[in-house]
């Protein structure tokens, strides 16, 4: 797998020509910017841009004006190879707030090490309804210490409108949800995305993250996907590298919140 080639395909398929990631969302191009506009609990933000030093600040102002008029907070998802090189600094100057940097990693499913076992007494279940979504969200809230209400709404919307494109998996120790993650398939592309992998603190270090990656990889392969994509945290990157994922670039969410919120 050539890094430059796969990164170019990722940019083309998942950013410049991205499909909406949920019901009611739309993706539109405004000059050299591609953005998604959704409702208040969907993901609103900039997916891709091809800017230069002369036009970057004006493009940033245009996106702020667009989302502000809609009343939406939004994210500018900046990748390490995006131009101009100082785009992150320009976003900060315009009022954005940078979230922690992650690593974009890609794995070719057929070359990954998917030999993973669950701990004794743990089983995997797929969340296909509201009860399953509640289990996945319960793990998310315990693992990350954040409110999962928005995740629950997005997951239920996706399961209702496009059930064949999202797979939410929960690891249960007895009846206790202890780890969870999502797989998002991207039709008409060779990619599938790994999202939201988290394990409650008492169960970390027992191979659950690895097992959930392996399970989702097999599901993605069964649906015809060739590559898995993940925005890896510093904690998950070493695990993914051992499984055969390659780091390609960084990704940083820059968040813009409506004044007064």
């Amino acid at each position: 797998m050539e890094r430059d080639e796969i990164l170019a395909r990722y940019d083309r398929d998942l950013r410049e020509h991205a499909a909406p990631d949920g019901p009611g969302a739309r993706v539109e191009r405004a000059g050299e910017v591609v953005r998604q506009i959704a409702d208040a609990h969907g993901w609103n933000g900039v997916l891709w841009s091809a800017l230069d030093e002369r036009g970057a600040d004006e493009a940033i102002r245009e996106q702020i004006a667009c989302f502000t008029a809609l009343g939406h907070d939004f994210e500018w998802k900046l990748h390490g190879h995006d131009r101009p090189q100082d785009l992150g600094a320009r976003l900060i100057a315009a009022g954005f707030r940078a979230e922690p940097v992650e690593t974009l990693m890609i794995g070719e499913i057929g070359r990954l090490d998917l030999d993973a076992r669950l701990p004794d007494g743990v089983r995997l279940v797929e969340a296909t309804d509201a009860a399953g979504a509640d289990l996945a969200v319960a793990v998310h809230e315990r693992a990350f210490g954040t409110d999962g209400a928005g995740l629950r709404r997005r997951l239920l919307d996706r399961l209702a409108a496009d059930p064949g494109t999202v797979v939410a998996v929960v690891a249960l120790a007895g009846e206790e949800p202890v780890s969870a993650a999502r797989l998002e398939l991207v039709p008409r592309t060779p990619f599938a995305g790994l999202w939201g992998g988290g394990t409650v603190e008492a169960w970390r270090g027992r191979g659950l993250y690895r097992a959930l990656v392996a399970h989702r990889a097999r599901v993605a392969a069964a649906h015809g996907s060739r590559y898995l994509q993940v925005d890896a945290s510093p904690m998950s990157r070493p695990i993914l590298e051992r499984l055969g994922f390659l780091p390609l670039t960084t990704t940083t969410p820059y968040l813009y919140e409506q004044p007064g919120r």
Side-chain angles (χ1 to χ4, degrees):
M1 183 170 60
E2 295 293 334
R3 282 178 165 82
D4 291 345
E5 180 182 349
I6 195 63
L7 183 58
R9 188 160 192 179
Y10 164 86
D11 280 341
R12 182 181 70 240
D13 289 355
L14 300 187
R15 301 182 68 204
E16 185 178 5
H17 300 292
D21 71 355
R26 69 181 188 274
V27 172
E28 58 187 30
R29 184 161 186 160
E32 293 303 305
V33 172
V34 173
R35 63 195 178 206
Q36 174 171 292
I37 295 176
D39 58 23
H41 67 263
W43 186 86
N44 287 274
V46 172
L47 293 157
W48 175 89
S49 64
L51 304 174
D52 57 27
E53 290 82 356
R54 292 176 298 174
D57 291 334
E58 179 60 26
I60 292 169
R61 287 191 291 268
E62 289 173 355
Q63 303 318 306
I64 292 173
C66 170
F67 286 101
T68 298
L70 296 169
H72 294 330
D73 298 338
F74 73 103
E75 173 186 326
W76 192 303
K77 189 168 185 179
L78 181 68
H79 289 68
H81 59 291
D82 289 345
R83 295 292 179 266
Q85 288 187 331
D86 65 347
L87 183 52
R90 292 170 186 259
L91 291 169
I92 293 293
F96 288 76
R97 170 173 53 85
E99 292 284 279
V101 178
E102 296 184 313
T103 302
L104 171 67
M105 305 186 75
I106 302 284
E108 188 169 0
I109 296 174
R111 298 187 177 187
L112 297 178
D113 177 5
L114 302 179
D115 183 17
R117 295 182 57 186
L118 289 166
D120 291 341
V122 176
R123 70 188 192 280
L124 298 183
V125 298
E126 292 190 4
T128 58
D129 55 17
D134 287 344
L135 292 175
V137 169
V139 172
H140 180 89
E141 292 182 332
R142 291 176 62 194
F144 300 113
T146 56
D147 183 1
L151 170 62
R152 185 180 188 276
R153 287 193 296 267
R154 291 191 298 274
L155 182 55
L156 289 176
D157 286 349
R158 187 84 174 261
L159 287 170
D162 299 301
T165 64
V166 62
V167 177
V169 185
V170 181
L172 295 176
E175 298 304 317
E176 179 190 3
V178 295
S179 189
R182 303 189 314 281
L183 169 73
E184 296 187 2
L185 301 161
V186 188
R188 296 177 293 281
T189 81
F191 293 98
L194 302 183
W195 299 98
T199 301
V200 301
E201 186 172 2
W203 281 84
R204 292 171 188 165
R206 305 194 198 186
L208 285 172
Y209 181 83
R210 180 185 176 114
L212 286 171
V213 170
H215 177 85
R216 288 176 290 166
R218 288 189 285 268
V219 172
H223 283 83
S225 300
R226 181 178 178 184
Y227 301 110
L228 291 176
Q229 167 260 321
V230 57
D231 293 343
S233 70
M235 182 182 299
S236 58
R237 174 175 172 167
I239 302 172
L240 293 166
E241 286 188 299
R242 289 194 293 271
L243 297 181
F245 285 77
L246 296 178
L248 297 187
T249 187
T250 59
T251 177
T252 308
Y254 283 81
L255 305 182
Y256 187 89
E257 297 178 340
Q258 300 297 316
R261 290 194 180 182

